[in-house]
Structures are given as structure tokens and as C-alpha cells.
Amino acid sequence: GKMLPNFVLLRQLLRSLRLLLQHCSKVGALIFIEWPASCTLWKHSEVKKLLKQYGLCITRFDGCAFGLTSIAPDTLGRPIKKPWQGATNSPTFARLLEVKCQGHPSNCKHTPCQGVDTKRTEGYTPALAQHVHKLLALRHASTYYVSF
């Protein structure tokens, strides 16, 4: 049935995650895991255990705060909230990434993430990518590298 391939894939994902976290921790690399806030993996006991084991803190940020908008004809240009969630070993990175929806004019409410917009929201907006790059550059340039 369908559950067996999903179970095998989950085991492979968790094994890879364990190895990646182990290596990153060993070499002192910045760790950042991102999944949609509603992803059930955040509630998985093994994931929770790994987050705790490697001291990862949670950050949440909204797609609309980084320019995520609809491309559907009926809702073109309207913001899509899409809550993302990440886990990182850098409290500073977590704090600076946590950008939430600041609200929108009443005539421009959020549009649901559905239809043609769904696939598009799997990636990052240019504004989010630029923000993350700025944070990485700041971390690299910081004289307080270890504490970032």
C-alpha cells in the first residue's frame, strides 16, 4: 500500500537528518531546517528529539511579509500568508528571520494558498532569499561569529 513507501521515505529522511545534524554540529556550521509550519514532521517524536539534542530553536515567518503573492487571475497580486517554520542552532539567526505579517489594507486581505498558487509557494520569494543572504553575510562578517 501507499503507507509503506511513505514509511520507508520517512525513515530515510530522519536518518539523513540525523547524519546532517551530527556533521554540522561537529564542524560548527549554521544549522537551518525549514518546513511549512503545518508540516506534521514538526510533531514527530524523532524530530522533536533531534531539535532538543542539538539545541535548535524555532523561528516562524510569514510568506506575505516577504512578498509572497497570488498569481491566480481572480486574486492576482493579493498576499498569501503561508506560515513557514524553521529550526536553527543560532538564536540570533532565528530572531532576525522571524518576520510576521504586518497586516494589509482592508481591501487587500490574504488569499488562500490553493490552486495555481500552491506549487509556487514551495519555493522562496526573492525578498526572502535576499533576507537570508543578508543574515548569512552578517553572520560571516560578525566579530561575534560564535555567538551569532
Side-chain angles (χ1 to χ4, degrees), residues 53-79:
Q53 179 181 347
Y54 289 97
L56 304 186
C57 51
I58 299 294
T59 183
R60 293 176 181 90
F61 47 103
D62 293 332
C64 62
F66 292 101
L68 184 61
T69 57
S70 175
I71 59 168
D74 293 346
T75 55
L76 186 64
R78 286 197 189 153

Side-chain angles (χ1 to χ4, degrees), residues 95-107:
R95 184 173 41 80
L96 295 174
L97 186 59
E98 194 149 309
V99 180
K100 300 290 191 85
C101 176
Q102 298 301 309
H104 300 281
S106 58
N107 64 343

Side-chain angles (χ1 to χ4, degrees), residues 105-127:
S106 58
N107 64 343
C108 194
K109 297 182 189 303
H110 291 111
T111 195
C113 178
Q114 61 188 17
V116 296
D117 289 326
T118 306
K119 184 72 177 163
R120 187 167 168 268
T121 65
E122 290 177 5
Y124 297 146
T125 64

Side-chain angles (χ1 to χ4, degrees), residues 26-43:
K26 183 178 174 182
V27 299
L30 175 72
I31 297 169
F32 182 65
I33 301 164
E34 179 274 316
W35 294 314
S38 61
C39 179
T40 56
L41 284 173
W42 291 116
K43 295 177 181 168

Side-chain angles (χ1 to χ4, degrees), residues 12-26 46 50 54:
Q12 291 171 339
L13 174 70
L14 292 174
R15 187 175 140 271
S16 296
L17 180 59
R18 255 191 310 279
L19 292 171
L20 183 64
L21 291 173
Q22 184 179 38
H23 177 74
C24 288
S25 182
K26 183 178 174 182
E46 182 68 17
L50 289 169
Y54 289 97

